[in-house]
Amino acid sequence: MKNKNIAIIGSGATAIYLLKHIAEHYKSLKKEISSVTVYERDTNSGMGMPYNPNTTDIYNLANISSEEIPELLMSFGDWLREQNKPTLKKLNVTEFPIDDSEVYSRLALGEYLRDQYLKIGELLEARGIEFLEKLDTEVSDIEYKKDTNLVNILTKDQKEETYSKVIIATGHRWSETDNPKKGYYGSPWPIQKILPKKGEYYNFPIGTLGASLSAFDVVTSLAHRHGEFIKTDSKYTFNLNPKAKGFKILMHSSEGWLPHLQYEQRLPMREIYRHTDREQMLSLIDDNGYLRLETFFHSVCRNALIEAFEKDKLERMAIRLKDANFGIKEFVEMMVKDHEYSDSFEGMRKEMVAATNSIERSKPIHWKETLDDLMYCLNFHAELLPAEDHHFFRKEVMSFLMNVIAALPLSSAKILLALYDAECIDMIPGRVNVLEDVSDNTKTGVAIEVENEKGKKQTIQYKMYINCAGQKSIQIQDYPFKTLVENGTVRKACAAFEDEEDCKDLIRIIDEELLFEKNENLYLYTGGIEVDAAYRVIDEDDIPNENIMDVTFTHTSGPRPYSYGLQACNATSKILVEAWVLSLKQHQEFDADIENATQLYEENDL
């Protein structure tokens, strides 16, 4: 049976770009598709969780500018310029003229995405592909029928539909439960649940686990309800409401880091082969079929970073990189030491000067942009990394990257500094351990233990404690579509060790639950499920499934560890559709080995 009816689970940004790329290839695909049905568990479609008024707040910023958003039918900036002033005011867009390099509210971005989603749906209809929606409909399970190559979708209301192809794009899903009676929240979303009722105030300290962008959404939402920000020139001042005496937010971060700030970029859109090419990347694969992190660093990253540091007049760093013995471990250690703040907020205040100078004078920070491009390149070749390099990348590199390249908007930083100056926010470094059962209602409050880098421990009691650590890779047992796991249609994402003998000391310290043997080789579970380069799920027999794809980042971060926002939504969906179109043209399944995958990347300027 040909692929006549397609289902997409989720209607967020990845689904929007999927629909866009399908519409672009309608001449090739309309022979294979009679309809596309989008399942959305929320009542609002085409927004995604971070930009939905049911989950976010008017004070939360989008953390991405119009010039960084991959092309849809119209740019975000142009869409804003088309809206009338009352509409913009409701979306907390109050400064004019609209600037393509400015960051606006999450609500504004959500309304833009929904507008583009609906217009792309109309475009599909005009091009002969039926566009259908099932709103307020949560998919509870998926079953693949091997005998017919069809896929059954079961919804929570026990309705079942059959499709020839299903693409999973569920986006954010928060599984940890809340206990409001105790004051514990497993995530900040929907953010309305943590806000005080009108006329009420929190006259006590509030703890957040993590200093991520999600934590800043909590900070801005709560701060605006407990005081007033006064803007004078380019600085904010915070006046705490007298009725909110005692209000303070204490952020907990293992390293005590705040993310670095938004900066000017020469080329805002990432490219896989900006600093290398397909031929060089393939040449780096060793005789055992692996790409080693050190090889990638020495052959691709070193020269690109030296050039970037020299452009930024950071000669000391460029000189260190010219040392042949200076590898990726030494690079990360150098950058962490150079960019960690002894005092997070005072460090941010100091960085604000350089970041403001970068943006106002259109002066790029080349090394940050180069590093982002290099990690983008590595992400699409990460299936070649052995287990020992996957472990190092996740343990040593990712936290540094998420801190340095997080690009917190300057307006968010100004809010944080205003709160800091008003003594309404602080940072407590150290590893956190929740000391009691958060489901226990026999007593209120949450007790945590904080251990600093010297091993000293302190206990802190909170009336409200919010887990803002962000969404990590799911474990296979938490994959939302249980039948796919039970029937072996999906499997753990894993990587083999290239040299077990060499890695004995490392293997001893890795959690045993992450290690398993297969075909007499030792493997590391890297998180989530296995997908191939075309995002087809891989079954227990190593066979890619032509009928089920998964482009949800928390599901696929095992083989694709580095996520990069809306640009990732576009890139993954484009790869999926381009591979599909290519297989139709060649009248055979797309062979997603590294040779074909990298050719796809190169030909599509990803």
Side-chain angles (χ1 to χ4, degrees):
M1 178 180 176
K2 289 186 176 180
N3 297 317
K4 291 295 182 185
N5 60 336
I6 309 303
I8 300 174
I9 304 176
S11 72
T14 303
I16 296 170
Y17 284 103
L18 271 168
L19 294 170
K20 176 197 176 232
H21 294 303
I22 289 171
E24 288 173 343
H25 288 286
Y26 77 99
K27 289 182 180 177
S28 299
L29 295 176
K30 71 177 180 179
K31 296 176 184 177
E32 301 295 320
I33 304 175
S34 59
S35 66
V36 177
T37 302
V38 177
Y39 284 78
E40 172 54 58
R41 62 179 175 166
D42 199 88
T43 52
N44 293 324
S45 59
M47 290 181 167
M49 189 286 294
Y51 316 113
N52 192 322
N54 290 338
T55 51
T56 193
D57 183 36
I58 193 169
Y59 299 113
N60 301 152
L61 292 179
N63 301 315
I64 187 170
S65 65
S66 178
E67 63 186 7
E68 297 173 278
I69 298 173
E71 182 182 4
L72 289 168
L73 301 183
M74 173 186 283
S75 76
F76 182 33
D78 286 344
W79 182 84
L80 287 171
R81 282 183 275 270
E82 278 196 351
Q83 308 310 304
N84 59 41
K85 290 292 178 69
T87 297
L88 292 173
K89 187 176 180 180
K90 287 179 182 177
L91 299 174
N92 202 21
V93 178
T94 56
E95 295 191 7
F96 304 97
I98 298 297
D99 185 345
D100 288 342
S101 63
E102 187 56 71
V103 172
Y104 294 100
S105 71
R106 288 182 186 267
L107 291 181
L109 183 51
E111 289 296 332
Y112 159 72
L113 290 173
R114 175 165 169 76
D115 175 81
Q116 297 297 287
Y117 166 79
L118 294 174
K119 284 185 168 65
I120 293 169
E122 292 171 1
L123 184 61
L124 283 170
E125 291 271 0
R127 292 179 173 179
I129 299 173
E130 189 177 15
F131 175 65
L132 304 167
E133 288 189 286
K134 290 183 180 289
L135 303 183
D136 200 17
T137 304
E138 184 166 359
V139 175
S140 59
D141 207 356
I142 300 172
E143 183 179 12
Y144 173 59
K145 298 291 188 180
K146 275 189 177 182
D147 53 341
T148 59
N149 287 332
L150 295 175
V151 187
N152 286 351
I153 283 179
L154 182 68
T155 61
K156 275 209 167 177
D157 57 5
Q158 300 304 305
K159 291 180 181 177
E160 189 171 299
E161 299 284 349
T162 301
Y163 295 90
S164 48
K165 191 184 290 287
V166 170
I167 303 168
I168 300 165
T170 50
H172 299 78
R173 184 182 290 262
W174 308 97
S175 57
E176 190 174 352
T177 55
D178 303 327
N179 186 350
K181 287 184 179 180
K182 194 170 184 64
Y184 179 82
Y185 294 89
S187 84
W189 312 111
I191 205 160
Q192 291 80 3
K193 70 187 179 184
I194 65 167
L195 303 180
K197 294 177 182 177
K198 191 171 182 179
E200 292 185 359
Y201 299 93
Y202 297 146
N203 295 293
F204 49 81
I206 296 163
T208 69
L209 176 61
S212 64
L213 297 178
S214 294
F216 298 125
D217 290 332
V218 170
V219 169
T220 54
S221 293
L222 289 178
H224 277 93
R225 288 165 173 85
H226 289 82
E228 182 182 11
F229 289 94
I230 308 296
K231 185 177 180 181
T232 53
D233 298 325
S234 60
K235 185 181 178 183
Y236 288 5
T237 302
F238 181 69
N239 294 331
L240 182 66
N241 190 311
K243 296 179 181 178
K245 187 178 179 180
F247 169 78
K248 187 169 186 174
I249 297 174
L250 296 170
M251 308 174 80
H252 291 271
S253 164
S254 295
E255 298 86 0
W257 291 346
L258 289 170
H260 284 251
L261 304 182
Q262 178 186 6
Y263 60 95
E264 180 71 17
Q265 299 183 63
R266 186 175 62 91
L267 298 167
M269 295 296 175
R270 304 279 68 85
E271 287 185 14
I272 295 176
Y273 294 130
R274 181 163 282 153
H275 299 288
T276 181
D277 56 35
R278 174 175 177 260
E279 185 178 350
Q280 182 185 23
M281 289 300 295
L282 293 177
S283 75
L284 301 181
I285 301 172
D286 67 21
D287 292 341
N288 294 323
Y290 294 105
L291 170 67
R292 298 307 305 259
L293 265 179
E294 281 295 344
T295 304
F296 176 68
F297 181 79
H298 286 288
S299 301
V300 178
C301 301
R302 182 192 298 278
N303 288 337
L305 288 167
I306 288 172
E307 182 181 348
F309 282 130
E310 288 177 341
K311 285 181 180 177
D312 293 329
K313 301 190 182 332
L314 297 171
E315 295 295 337
R316 177 178 62 85
M317 293 181 178
I319 289 169
R320 292 202 66 185
L321 273 167
K322 290 175 183 177
D323 181 349
N325 296 317
F326 194 79
I328 188 167
K329 186 174 186 295
E330 290 76 19
F331 172 73
V332 171
E333 288 173 352
M334 175 184 76
M335 299 308 291
V336 166
K337 185 176 180 181
D338 201 74
H339 290 85
E340 64 182 349
Y341 304 138
S342 56
D343 181 303
S344 297
F345 293 95
E346 292 301 339
M348 177 175 280
R349 196 190 309 277
K350 183 179 177 181
E351 189 192 355
M352 178 73 80
V353 177
T356 303
N357 180 56
S358 168
I359 291 172
E360 290 184 353
R361 298 188 182 185
S362 298
K363 183 181 177 182
I365 299 179
H366 297 91
W367 75 264
K368 287 188 178 184
E369 188 175 334
T370 298
L371 183 61
D372 208 2
D373 271 323
L374 291 168
M375 294 302 101
Y376 181 76
C377 173
L378 181 65
N379 180 65
F380 287 100
H381 299 80
E383 69 264 36
L384 297 170
L385 297 176
E388 48 265 52
D389 284 352
H390 269 283
H391 183 269
F392 177 81
F393 185 81
R394 284 164 168 77
K395 187 172 175 57
E396 305 293 339
V397 181
M398 278 299 291
S399 59
F400 156 67
L401 287 175
M402 292 300 98
N403 174 58
V404 169
I405 306 178
L408 185 74
L410 297 189
S411 52
S412 294
K414 290 173 184 176
I415 286 172
L416 285 172
L417 291 174
L419 288 167
Y420 180 69
D421 290 338
E423 299 184 353
C424 289
I425 195 168
D426 213 339
M427 169 74 75
I428 301 178
R431 297 195 175 276
V432 171
N433 178 35
V434 178
L435 293 178
E436 47 194 67
D437 181 1
V438 294
S439 65
D440 179 15
N441 283 326
T442 58
K443 58 180 180 177
T444 59
V446 179
I448 66 167
E449 181 183 78
V450 183
E451 182 179 359
N452 67 19
E453 59 181 6
K454 295 180 180 178
K456 186 177 179 181
K457 298 178 181 179
Q458 64 171 319
T459 300
I460 304 174
Q461 186 83 23
Y462 286 108
K463 287 186 178 181
M464 176 181 281
Y465 186 72
I466 307 161
N467 187 340
C468 303
Q471 198 170 10
K472 297 177 173 61
S473 296
I474 64 160
Q475 301 300 300
I476 190 73
Q477 63 268 23
D478 298 322
Y479 191 67
F481 310 115
K482 301 300 183 187
T483 299
L484 294 181
V485 177
E486 292 165 2
N487 292 349
T489 307
V490 299
R491 72 175 192 199
K492 290 180 177 180
C494 60
F497 288 86
E498 181 167 27
D499 193 332
E500 290 181 36
E501 188 65 30
D502 225 26
C503 294
K504 275 185 176 179
D505 291 341
L506 171 62
I507 291 168
R508 285 193 196 100
I509 64 171
I510 294 175
D511 188 337
E512 287 185 7
E513 292 183 2
L514 300 179
L515 300 171
F516 63 96
E517 288 190 2
K518 184 174 70 172
N519 301 327
E520 300 182 355
N521 289 319
L522 185 65
Y523 285 81
L524 173 72
Y525 177 36
T526 54
I529 64 163
E530 196 81 61
V531 294
D532 70 5
Y535 293 90
R536 298 175 295 192
V537 301
I538 307 292
D539 71 13
E540 288 181 334
D541 298 319
D542 298 342
I543 299 171
N545 192 310
E546 283 291 312
N547 306 88
I548 304 176
M549 288 88 164
D550 196 325
V551 285
T552 304
F553 299 130
T554 54
H555 299 174
T556 62
S557 58
R560 294 280 179 267
Y562 184 57
S563 178
Y564 39 92
L566 292 181
Q567 292 188 28
C569 298
N570 176 56
T572 53
S573 58
K574 185 172 186 179
I575 290 166
L576 186 158
V577 173
E578 293 290 345
W580 186 10
V581 170
L582 187 61
S583 69
L584 292 173
K585 288 179 179 177
Q586 295 178 347
H587 304 289
Q588 62 183 24
E589 290 184 8
F590 177 70
D591 185 352
D593 67 11
I594 194 64
E595 292 275 348
N596 289 322
T598 53
Q599 186 170 344
L600 194 68
Y601 305 155
E602 189 174 60
E603 289 176 352
N604 286 280
D605 298 321
L606 290 161

